[in-house]
Amino acid sequence: MSPEARPTIADVARKAGVSKGLVSFALNDKPGVSAQARTRILDAAAELGWTPNLRARSLSTGRSFACGLVIGRSTDVIAADPFFPSLIAGLEDVFSVSGQVLVLSAATPGRHEVETYRGLAADRRVDGLILTDLRAADERIALVGELGLHAVTLGRPDVDSPFSSVSVDDGAGIRRAVEHLAALGHDRIAHVAGPDAMLHARRRTAAFEDAARASGMSSRVVRTDFSAAQGATATRDLLALADAPTAIVYSNDQMAVAGIGVAERLGLRVPDDLSVSGFDDTELGRHLRPALTSVATDARAWGAAAARALLGMLAGDAVAHIELAEPTLVIRESTSVSPHPPTGGLGRH
């Protein structure tokens, strides 16, 4: 066999001294193969470097052995947000050992996104999808169902859905951040949030407002697209107010890092003059000076759980709604006691 030739089941059978049928049974983990023969076949396959021929498997089963992830954000935001590489790593942790290929697309929400989903469904290019960044009355739920594809949603949609979901109560993390700042004496606080159209951004905003109200704090919310650029602009606007907040809770770490940069350029010290907390507990935030207080989530574990749930749906498992552990707040150097006595000057918005 030439170095370039791909080893086949026939090659494995010849090396192991058994029939092709027995090799097929062993490699597909079917009964009817003795333990000794199975070991000999698997050893022969490993020695030859045999891997499944996905094209042949697709022809025989009618499946593509591919799963899709369409990220409906601008490529600039995707490139700068460390959440997505971690999520993708978690998906690949599972897909790479199960014979699945991950098909990744970035699409602008709207017509381009719809065309992307329809393209993936054409000719069964994917068997299933991971749906992220759920939106209010998300039209993708019905669209994917009409296309005849399986799917798993990250979070529970606010419309009827035939799909499994994997969720994290990110509002719990925001509440912990607000309670931490209240305990430090802050009473003027702001939240730099994500877009209101996204359900997880809404949940974080609602959790922030509820926690601030429960703690008797004055609060303000500024919505962004989750990008560092808009996080910086929001910070600049907040700190220009006559009754500027003494603490800002950001909806991701990259906006928090940008906010620290803006504050320092304005001559403020973090955390002496301004306390800052982030969300996602990214590696960069841990190495800042001051190190960033942040809500810790495990995007990689979330991706792995979503991949397992999707494989379960493809195998015919019942719809399941999986709740992962609540996020925790990791307290570091970017939060400290309020620099001012309580004044109640910032109005609620």
Side-chain angles (χ1 to χ4, degrees):
M1 187 170 58
S2 68
E4 294 81 12
R6 180 191 183 100
T8 65
I9 284 181
D11 297 321
V12 176
R14 190 161 39 250
K15 186 170 185 63
V18 298
S19 69
K20 289 195 297 182
L22 197 63
V23 170
S24 179
F25 272 55
L27 295 176
N28 287 286
D29 201 25
K30 293 182 178 180
V33 185
S34 70
Q36 184 179 9
R38 189 184 302 276
T39 299
R40 190 163 70 251
I41 290 167
L42 294 178
D43 287 346
E47 188 174 338
L48 290 172
W50 179 89
T51 56
N53 186 321
L54 291 182
R55 178 173 294 180
R57 290 175 70 191
S58 296
L59 290 173
S60 64
T61 63
R63 286 182 51 189
S64 65
F65 293 95
C67 295
L69 172 64
V70 180
I71 303 176
R73 300 199 197 183
S74 74
T75 52
D76 289 342
V77 172
I78 295 170
D81 192 339
F83 172 83
F84 290 107
S86 294
L87 175 71
I88 291 167
L91 294 171
E92 281 289 85
D93 285 342
V94 175
F95 288 152
S96 63
V97 297
S98 63
Q100 296 286 328
V101 174
L102 178 62
V103 178
L104 177 64
S105 297
T108 305
R111 180 178 176 183
H112 180 217
E113 190 175 35
V114 170
E115 291 173 348
T116 300
Y117 282 110
R118 292 193 182 280
L120 289 174
D123 301 321
R124 304 296 298 185
R125 288 171 56 193
V126 297
D127 298 314
L129 295 159
I130 304 292
L131 299 180
T132 68
D133 288 338
L134 292 182
R135 303 157 200 157
D138 202 318
E139 297 178 351
R140 294 175 299 170
I141 304 296
L143 171 64
V144 173
E146 290 169 5
L147 293 174
L149 295 174
H150 293 285
V152 168
T153 62
L154 297 192
R156 295 285 295 268
D158 62 354
V159 294
D160 290 339
S161 170
F163 305 129
S164 291
S165 66
V166 181
S167 303
V168 173
D169 182 8
D170 39 13
I174 292 290
R175 287 191 294 273
R176 289 189 173 100
V178 173
E179 291 164 358
H180 164 64
L181 292 167
L184 291 172
H186 294 273
D187 74 332
R188 300 201 312 270
I189 188 172
H191 178 45
V192 177
D196 193 51
M198 293 185 183
L199 291 184
H200 68 291
R202 285 189 180 188
R203 286 194 303 270
R204 294 178 193 183
T205 298
F208 169 82
E209 292 177 329
D210 289 347
R213 189 180 302 112
S215 297
M217 306 165 80
S218 297
S219 65
R220 186 184 300 268
V221 174
V222 181
R223 292 179 174 82
T224 72
D225 64 356
F226 278 127
S227 70
Q230 289 200 11
T233 298
T235 304
R236 197 172 294 110
D237 292 343
L238 286 168
L239 296 180
L241 296 170
D243 51 357
T246 61
I248 302 178
V249 175
Y250 292 84
S251 202
N252 65 25
D253 276 8
Q254 62 174 342
M255 293 197 296
V257 171
I260 289 174
V262 168
E264 291 185 344
R265 281 191 291 275
L266 291 174
L268 298 176
R269 296 166 299 169
V270 176
D272 296 343
D273 302 314
L274 176 71
S275 285
V276 168
S277 70
F279 199 107
D280 288 331
D281 191 29
T282 57
E283 185 173 4
L284 176 62
R286 302 168 203 163
H287 296 290
L288 285 178
R289 184 174 181 183
L292 182 64
T293 293
S294 186
V295 175
T297 59
D298 192 340
R300 188 165 185 165
W302 201 358
R308 286 192 293 269
L310 184 54
L311 292 178
M313 291 204 74
L314 294 174
D317 292 353
V319 171
H321 300 294
I322 302 162
E323 293 286 340
L324 301 182
E326 287 187 357
T328 58
L329 181 68
V330 182
I331 299 171
R332 299 194 181 94
E333 300 165 352
S334 67
T335 50
S336 185
V337 295
S338 173
H340 307 300
T343 63
L346 190 64
R348 290 182 174 88
H349 293 260

